[in-house]
Amino acid sequence: MDETGGSRRRRSPWRQVVAGVSVAALFVVTVSVAAFVYFWVTAPVNTAGQVEFTRALQIPELAESTVEADGTRRFALEMQTGTADLGRGPATQTWGVNGDYLGPTLRADRGEPVRVDVTNELGEVSTLHWHGMHVPAAMDGGPHQMVEPGETWSPHWTVDQPAATLWYHPHLHGSTAEHVYRGIAGMFYIDDPNGPVLPDRYGIDDIPVIVQDKKFDGDQLSLADQMLSSIGILGDEILVNGTPGPYLDVSTERVRLRVLNASNARAYDFGFDTGLTFTLIASDGGLLPEPVELDSLQLSPGERAEIVVEVPPGTSTVLRSTPPDLGADFWNSRFGGGVDTMDVLELRSAAALENNPEIPRRLTELDDLGEPTVTRSFKLSSNAINGRAMDMTRIDAAVEVDTTELWEVRNTDGQPHNFHVHDVQFRVLDTDDPALSGAKDTVYVRPGETVRLLMRFEDYTDPAVPYMFHCHVLRHEDQGMMGQFVVVGPGERPAVIDHDAHAGHR
Ligand code: C2O
Ligand code: CU
Ligand code: CU
C-alpha cells in the first residue's frame, strides 16, 4: 500500500506537470490561432467609398533657385523636424524639407548645371539621394554621402538626361525607411524645352501626386511593422502630398498627374472608380515613345508614372487603388497589401473646362543602348542579394564606363520585391507591358520571376565611390537587400573602401 501509495504520490506531480503543460500548450495554441484569425481578418484594408474628400490637395511649392554667374542653378534645401496636420490634428510630429512635411519640387532644364545646398537640421545624420538622376557617384546622396547634423552638403552636377519626374529622399543605410516615412521626400522635375507640347502649368494642369500610406497611433505616426509580414510599415490611410482626404479642382480639359509611389512598402494598382480610362505618357525615366490608353496601372515603391486624365465637365471621379497583383502566395499577398483597396484622390471637374494641349501620338525617341557585353545575375532573397547582405565596404560589381550590360534579376523568395539601380535608366526586356515600354529605374520583380534589364553606363567614373542597387521596399533595403557597384575607366580597378577612413569622415 505504502509502495503503491508512494508510487501514486510519485506519479502525481508528473501528471500535474503533464496537465500543466497541456493547459499551457492549449493556451498558446488558442492565443496563436486567435491572433492569427485576428490578423487574418484585420489585414485587408478597404477604404473604397469611405474616404471623405474634404481637403484641397496641397501642391508642394516650387523650390526657389538662383542662377550664378557661371549659369549654375542653385537650390537650398533644409531637412528639418516639425509638426503637421495629417488628419489627426496639428500636433503630429513630422520631418520635412524647407517645411514640416515633404519638400518643395525642384525643376531644372536638361543641360543645366545645378547645385543643391542640403543642410541637415534633423538632429541626426541623414543623406539626400536624387532618385533616377544620372549623377557622379559622389553627388548621388547614397549611404556614403552622409550629412552630419548641422552640416551642409553641396552636390553639383549638370543635368543631362531626358525630361522626367524624379524624386529625392534620404538613403542612410539602415534608416531609409524611417527617414522617408517621417516625411523627407520631394519631387525633382527635369524639363526639356525641346520636348513635345503637353499640359505643363504647375499646379493647374500639371499636378504632382505623391502617394503615401500611413498608420497612426493616436495623433502620431506609427512606425510599427505590418504583422505577419517582412514588408515593414504598411499604412491604412492615404496621404497625397501630405493631404488626407484630398480633392483636386480640375479646370482644364486634360489634367496631367505625375504620380509618385513614395510609400515604404505598399504597391498600388491605380484606376478610377467611374471606370474612366487615362493616358500613360511617361514612366520613371521620362516620356514613352507613344502614349498608352489604360484603365489601371500598377506602381511599386519608388516608381513614377505621368498620366493624363480627361474628367468630363461637371463630374467627379476618384483615383482608387484596387488590389495589386503582387504575384506572391496567399500569405504574402494578404499581409503585404495585396488584397487592399484604397481611395486616393478625388478629381472634381468644373462645369466648363479650359482647353489645353492634346497629347501627341508620338512623344519621344528612346536612345539606342547598344548590345550588352556583360551579363550579371542578381538573386533577391532573405534580405540579401546573391546571398550577401549589404556591406558598405564591399564592392559587388565594377562596371566599365561606356559599356552596355544586361542585368538579370530574379526574386527567389516568396516576398514582394522590386529592383532599383542608381545612375542609369534601364530598359525592361521581354515584356509587352506598355507601361514598361520606356526608360525605367525601378521595376517590380514577382516571386519566382526574372526581369532582364538593359542599361548603359556613361560619363562618370569613380573607383572609390559606389552607386547602389536594391529592393525599394525600404525595410528590405535597410535590412540588407542592397549592393554596391562602381563605374570605372577602361582597365581601372575598384578602390578598396577603407571603413575606418569612411567612419572618420563621418
Ligand atoms: Cu529611391 Cu536607392 O533609392
Ligand atoms: Cu535611387
Ligand atoms: Cu524587397
Side-chain angles (χ1 to χ4, degrees):
M1 289 294 278
D2 271 6
E3 272 188 340
T4 317
S7 112
R8 237 187 243 131
R9 275 194 299 275
R10 274 198 305 276
R11 231 180 296 140
S12 156
W14 244 132
R15 283 206 188 124
Q16 279 172 9
V17 167
V18 170
V21 166
S22 309
V23 168
L26 190 66
F27 179 75
V28 167
V29 168
T30 309
V31 167
S32 311
V33 168
F36 174 78
V37 168
Y38 174 77
F39 292 129
W40 183 264
V41 170
T42 57
V45 176
N46 186 345
T47 66
Q50 286 166 38
V51 174
E52 289 179 41
F53 299 100
T54 54
R55 298 197 197 192
L57 177 69
Q58 297 172 58
I59 305 295
E61 278 174 26
L62 286 174
E64 285 171 22
S65 60
T66 53
V67 179
E68 317 225 294
D70 67 356
T72 301
R73 182 171 295 281
R74 189 163 177 172
F75 299 92
L77 297 181
E78 187 176 294
M79 299 192 276
Q80 51 191 234
T81 61
T83 54
D85 181 355
L86 304 179
R88 301 298 173 98
T92 304
Q93 289 171 11
T94 53
W95 289 6
V97 180
N98 297 359
D100 289 318
Y101 188 76
L102 297 179
T105 300
L106 281 66
R107 291 190 94 144
D109 280 347
R110 181 172 196 177
E112 208 169 27
V114 297
R115 173 188 167 114
V116 191
D117 298 317
V118 178
T119 302
N120 178 1
E121 295 297 344
L122 295 173
E124 59 185 88
V125 63
S126 191
T127 84
L128 205 60
H129 163 61
W130 321 107
H131 180 128
M133 190 81 72
H134 176 48
V135 283
M139 310 296 166
D140 193 38
H144 294 271
Q145 287 85 49
M146 287 182 271
V147 191
E148 291 296 323
E151 289 194 348
T152 299
W153 171 65
S154 299
H156 49 88
W157 68 95
T158 296
V159 171
D160 186 15
Q161 67 193 87
T165 303
L166 311 183
W167 66 300
Y168 58 88
H169 63 79
H171 215 303
L172 184 68
H173 184 45
S175 303
T176 296
E178 180 191 339
H179 290 200
V180 174
Y181 189 74
R182 290 190 184 282
I184 309 285
M187 297 278 212
F188 198 141
Y189 291 2
I190 297 176
D191 300 313
D192 184 348
N194 299 317
V197 178
L198 294 165
D200 66 353
R201 286 177 295 162
Y202 187 76
I204 297 171
D205 63 4
D206 183 353
I207 312 288
V209 177
I210 305 174
V211 182
Q212 299 177 303
D213 59 335
K214 297 291 171 192
K215 195 155 57 177
F216 288 90
D217 181 0
D219 63 353
Q220 298 302 319
L221 288 172
S222 163
L223 277 89
D225 279 357
Q226 168 76 349
M227 302 303 284
L228 307 177
S229 165
S230 77
I231 204 158
I233 305 170
L234 212 53
D236 49 16
E237 292 179 30
I238 298 286
L239 302 179
V240 181
N241 303 343
T243 318
Y247 66 86
L248 175 72
D249 284 322
V250 175
S251 61
T252 53
E253 285 178 5
R254 298 159 199 88
V255 63
R256 174 185 188 180
L257 305 179
R258 302 200 192 210
V259 184
L260 158 64
N261 181 353
S263 306
N264 281 38
R266 185 177 287 287
Y268 301 90
D269 193 354
F270 294 108
F272 289 95
D273 71 331
T274 54
L276 197 65
T277 61
F278 53 88
T279 307
L280 176 69
I281 60 169
S283 56
D284 302 336
L287 293 170
L288 305 182
E290 288 162 6
V292 188
E293 180 98 355
L294 296 174
D295 56 15
S296 73
L297 175 67
Q298 198 160 319
L299 288 186
S300 67
E303 290 186 288
R304 288 87 65 209
E306 297 181 29
I307 63 173
V308 176
V309 194
E310 296 183 28
V311 188
T315 70
S316 66
T317 187
V318 173
L319 181 67
R320 171 176 291 168
S321 175
T322 52
D325 176 11
L326 300 178
D329 59 32
F330 211 52
W331 181 281
N332 282 301
S333 184
R334 189 165 188 98
F335 296 105
V339 295
D340 298 349
T341 299
M342 302 185 84
D343 277 358
V344 178
L345 169 68
E346 186 176 54
L347 303 182
R348 299 176 182 170
S349 191
L353 297 175
E354 194 190 323
N355 185 254
N356 64 342
E358 279 178 42
I359 306 308
R361 297 169 72 109
R362 244 352 259 178
L363 292 168
T364 191
E365 220 57 64
L366 294 177
D367 295 339
D368 180 3
L369 299 185
E371 291 300 314
T373 51
V374 175
T375 301
R376 301 179 196 267
S377 35
F378 300 90
K379 267 193 232 118
L380 309 178
S381 94
S382 315
N383 293 326
I385 298 180
N386 291 340
R388 298 195 292 190
M390 165 75 177
D391 178 342
M392 295 272 286
T393 64
R394 187 190 66 230
I395 301 298
D396 297 282
V399 169
E400 193 179 306
V401 72
D402 293 325
T403 60
T404 300
E405 297 203 352
L406 181 64
W407 287 21
E408 299 181 328
V409 185
R410 185 164 179 80
N411 176 347
T412 61
D413 66 15
Q415 308 286 326
H417 300 299
N418 68 7
F419 195 70
H420 167 53
V421 186
H422 289 211
D423 184 40
V424 294
Q425 291 288 338
F426 51 72
R427 225 57 64 67
V428 184
L429 303 183
D430 317 317
T431 174
D432 47 17
D433 181 350
L436 301 179
S437 65
K440 295 279 295 168
D441 57 49
T442 307
V443 66
Y444 188 67
V445 190
R446 282 156 199 286
E449 285 187 5
T450 302
V451 296
R452 298 171 73 238
L453 311 174
L454 189 70
M455 57 194 87
R456 185 165 176 85
F457 300 86
E458 288 176 328
D459 305 314
Y460 309 120
T461 64
D462 192 333
V465 184
Y467 296 102
M468 305 294 131
F469 54 86
H470 57 91
C471 175
H472 219 287
V473 171
L474 300 182
R475 176 56 39 84
H476 295 172
E477 172 187 340
D478 279 343
Q479 287 183 338
M481 192 173 273
M482 178 155 70
Q484 315 195 93
F485 71 98
V486 287
V487 180
V488 295
E492 196 178 15
R493 307 272 313 153
V496 175
I497 301 180
D498 178 346
H499 192 63
D500 292 337
H502 182 83
H505 173 73
R506 289 175 61 165

